[in-house]
């Protein structure tokens, strides 16, 4: 067992006992303990890994799939300390059934906090409301953040460096604070722990039809949506959306869902569209490893307008013009394909027949205009509205808001 984490655990335990194990004080107590003896300053990561690999005297390890991986560094009946490695990690927007604090031991992350307004339960496992961004900040190495169980702490983390490592001092479970909802902005909360085995098997069977390119795929989903309740229908749409869009059947299937569920379904299209956009950005992490480009992806995923994106770029790079930085990143991220250029998931329109160099200039000019960097480029947007449409329907959409 690593001596630092043994000492940290004993310190937290003694101080918490003095407070009669009050859950209300635990997040701040855990934060103070880690700030007093920061893991980032007191733990040699390589030595810790070596000790864990070669010394059998370790706390009982759990089976959690959270982290890449999760190591349990201290375990008590009331709380434990975990070390979470993140190689490609982007957490869902979520709340917790536990409380405590987390510390950035290595790397950095974009941390977003939210509130869920006007929440209404459809079933015990799915809710509707409006998810609003409360705060977004850059967490550098050495930062400690408290965690409160329940809806008071709805957040997500987009890890910028590989690996990022966080230390979490946390309770096992705070009674009465579940379910531990995940949030699909802007309108849906779901219980990820709820296991509907029938829906799971149906989705797997739809995957079989998709892999076979079976001609009945859309018809089968259509019939399912006509008969399913809201919860199962939503999960089916969520699963099948990408395939239905590819087949050109999405709008017709969505219309059936909306007709069946009326006002309850009004918030679903925007939620599923935003979820697909966020999933697209998250998948880009697997082939984009430049920390600056990952920061750009994190901003595009979590910030809804160019003004706030520019402010966060200024915070991290105070000596650079945010607009010039965005344009530089865009230039670096433009890539050629067999059909022309792409900027992230925005493909240059095939209907515009110009050479590669002109495609490059037109993409950048349209982006410049969106950032108010080059007002005279408005003529480009007017002459080629297809380019503007492609960019605004891609993951770059916040830059045009």
């Amino acid at each position: 067992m690593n001596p630092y984490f043994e000492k940290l655990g004993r310190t937290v335990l003694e101080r918490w006992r003095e407070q009669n194990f009050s859950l209300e004080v635990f997040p701040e107590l855990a934060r103070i303990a880690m700030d007093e003896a920061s893991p980032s300053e007191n733990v040699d990561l390589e030595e810790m890994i070596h000790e864990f690999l070669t010394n059998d005297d370790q706390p009982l390890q759990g089976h959690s799939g959270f982290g890449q991986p999760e190591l349990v560094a201290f375990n008590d009946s009331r709380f434990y300390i975990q070390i979470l490695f993140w190689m490609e990690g982007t957490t869902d927007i979520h709340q917790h059934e536990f409380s405590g604090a987390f510390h950035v031991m290595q790397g950095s992350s974009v941390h977003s906090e939210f509130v869920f307004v006007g929440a209404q339960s459809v079933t015990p496992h799915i809710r509707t409301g409006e998810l609003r961004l409360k705060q977004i900040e850059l967490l550098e190495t050495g930062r400690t953040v408290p965690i409160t169980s329940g809806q008071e702490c709805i957040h997500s983390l987009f890890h910028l460096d590989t690996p990022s490592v966080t230390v979490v001092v946390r309770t096992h479970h705070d009674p009465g604070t579940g379910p531990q909802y995940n949030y699909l902005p802007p309108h849906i909360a779901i219980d990820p722990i709820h296991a509907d085995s029938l829906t799971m098997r149906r989705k797997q069977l739809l995957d079989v039809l998709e892999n076979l390119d079976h001609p009945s795929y859309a018809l089968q989903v259509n019939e399912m949506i006509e008969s399913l309740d809201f919860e199962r229908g939503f999960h089916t749409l969520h699963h099948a959306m990408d395939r239905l869009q590819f087949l050109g059947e999405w709008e017709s299937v969505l219309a059936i869902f909306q007709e069946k569920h009326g006002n309850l379904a009004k918030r679903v299209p925007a939620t599923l569209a935003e979820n697909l956009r966020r999933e697209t950005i998250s998948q880009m992490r697997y082939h984009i490893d430049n920390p600056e480009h990952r920061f750009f992806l994190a901003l595009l995923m979590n910030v809804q307008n160019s003004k706030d994106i520019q402010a966060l770029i200024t915070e991290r790079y105070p000596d650079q013009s945010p607009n010039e930085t965005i344009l530089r990143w865009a230039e670096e991220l433009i890539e050629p394909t067999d059909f022309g250029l792409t900027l992230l998931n925005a493909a240059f329109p095939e209907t515009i027949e110009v050479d590669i160099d002109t495609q490059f200039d037109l993409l950048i000019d349209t982006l410049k205009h969106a950032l108010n960097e080059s007002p005279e480029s408005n003529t480009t947007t007017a002459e080629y509205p297809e380019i503007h449409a492609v960019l605004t329907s891609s993951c770059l959409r916040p830059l045009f808001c």
Side-chain angles (χ1 to χ4, degrees):
M1 180 181 293
N2 185 283
Y4 167 83
F5 291 106
E6 171 72 9
K7 182 177 181 180
L8 176 62
R10 295 301 170 192
T11 298
V12 171
L13 181 59
E14 290 169 10
R15 292 179 181 180
W16 199 19
R17 182 183 290 113
E18 292 174 358
Q19 300 294 324
N20 293 312
F21 299 110
S22 165
L23 286 176
E24 185 177 347
V25 305
F26 188 70
E28 188 64 10
L29 187 151
R31 183 195 66 78
I32 291 172
M34 283 195 282
D35 277 347
E36 286 177 349
S38 169
S40 58
E41 296 179 359
N42 289 276
V43 178
D44 184 299
L45 188 59
E46 289 191 14
E47 288 183 7
M48 186 210 73
I49 291 173
H50 180 263
E51 190 272 341
F52 191 89
L53 290 173
T54 58
N55 183 356
D56 284 349
D57 183 21
Q58 302 295 338
L60 180 66
Q61 301 299 304
H63 297 281
S64 167
F66 201 61
Q68 301 167 313
E70 172 209 36
L71 310 181
V72 177
F74 178 88
N75 202 349
D76 179 79
S77 61
R78 297 182 183 271
F79 75 98
Y80 65 103
I81 300 174
Q82 59 184 174
I83 305 165
L84 300 175
F85 289 76
W86 300 103
M87 304 303 291
E88 301 291 345
T90 301
T91 66
D92 293 324
I93 301 172
H94 62 282
Q95 66 186 63
H96 296 286
E97 289 186 275
F98 63 84
S99 54
F102 71 91
H103 175 89
V104 183
M105 189 164 79
Q106 178 173 303
S108 59
S109 305
V110 172
H111 182 224
S112 304
E113 295 183 79
F114 303 84
V115 292
F116 197 52
V117 179
Q120 293 184 330
S121 293
V122 181
T123 75
H125 312 295
I126 189 166
R127 311 181 84 189
T128 64
E130 183 177 352
L131 190 71
R132 297 177 183 172
L133 181 66
K134 181 171 66 174
Q135 174 179 289
I136 185 167
E137 59 182 339
L138 178 65
L139 301 182
E140 300 281 10
T141 298
R143 180 73 182 276
T144 309
V145 178
I147 302 169
T148 305
S149 55
Q151 292 189 58
E152 292 183 22
C153 180
I154 301 172
H155 70 155
S156 69
L157 287 160
F158 193 111
H159 300 289
L160 302 175
D161 304 297
T162 303
S164 287
V165 184
T166 55
V167 176
V168 186
V169 178
R170 52 159 291 180
T171 59
H172 291 275
H173 178 262
D174 294 356
T177 60
Q180 187 168 288
Y181 285 109
N182 282 353
Y183 291 83
L184 305 181
H187 297 303
I188 301 291
I190 58 174
D191 176 5
I193 306 301
H194 172 61
D196 181 356
S197 57
L198 179 58
T199 296
M200 177 187 69
R201 295 305 184 203
R202 283 170 169 167
K203 290 192 291 188
Q204 291 172 337
L205 198 54
L206 287 175
D207 288 342
V208 172
L209 296 179
E210 179 178 352
N211 290 333
L212 294 173
D213 200 21
H214 200 283
S216 73
Y217 182 94
L219 179 61
Q220 299 277 11
V221 176
N222 220 324
E223 292 183 5
M224 291 173 68
I225 296 303
E226 285 181 334
S227 62
L228 291 176
D229 60 87
F230 180 86
E231 182 180 327
R232 283 179 166 169
F234 174 81
H235 285 296
T236 301
L237 286 178
H238 186 197
H239 184 77
M241 179 181 182
D242 200 21
R243 178 62 175 175
L244 290 172
Q245 287 186 334
F246 174 78
L247 295 173
E249 299 287 348
W250 169 246
E251 295 296 337
S252 60
V253 175
L254 179 62
I256 292 171
F257 181 81
Q258 291 176 306
E259 182 177 355
K260 180 177 178 64
H261 298 288
N263 287 334
L264 195 58
K266 286 184 177 179
R267 292 173 160 178
V268 168
T271 298
L272 292 178
E274 174 62 13
N275 185 69
L276 185 59
R277 188 186 76 90
R278 292 175 66 88
E279 286 183 353
T280 299
I281 295 173
S282 183
Q283 289 298 315
M284 291 176 185
R285 289 179 55 95
Y286 292 100
H287 65 270
I288 293 177
D289 55 12
N290 182 307
E292 288 193 19
H293 295 166
R294 287 190 173 209
F295 181 59
F296 188 35
L297 292 181
L299 297 180
L300 292 174
M301 175 181 283
N302 294 291
V303 186
Q304 298 302 311
N305 62 78
S306 60
K307 182 179 179 181
D308 290 342
I309 288 175
Q310 291 159 358
L312 286 162
I313 292 172
T314 298
E315 179 182 339
R316 189 170 199 192
Y317 305 107
D319 298 329
Q320 301 178 24
S321 160
N323 285 351
E324 289 179 2
T325 301
I326 291 171
L327 292 171
R328 173 172 61 82
W329 289 339
E331 291 175 356
E332 293 167 352
L333 288 165
I334 290 177
E335 296 180 333
T337 69
D338 292 339
F339 306 101
L341 297 181
T342 63
L343 172 53
L344 296 178
N345 66 325
F348 191 88
E350 295 182 33
T351 54
I352 303 175
E353 297 183 1
V354 294
D355 60 37
I356 292 294
D357 290 339
T358 304
Q359 288 187 23
F360 185 96
D361 293 338
L362 290 174
L363 286 171
I364 296 301
D365 283 348
T366 305
L367 195 53
K368 278 183 180 179
H369 175 63
L371 298 171
N372 296 318
E373 184 74 12
S374 179
E376 64 274 10
S377 67
N378 188 33
T379 55
T380 302
T381 304
E383 187 175 354
Y384 299 105
E386 305 100 313
I387 301 174
H388 186 270
V390 163
L391 293 176
T392 55
S393 62
S394 75
C395 65
L396 297 159
R397 185 184 66 202
L399 298 176
F400 291 80
C401 297

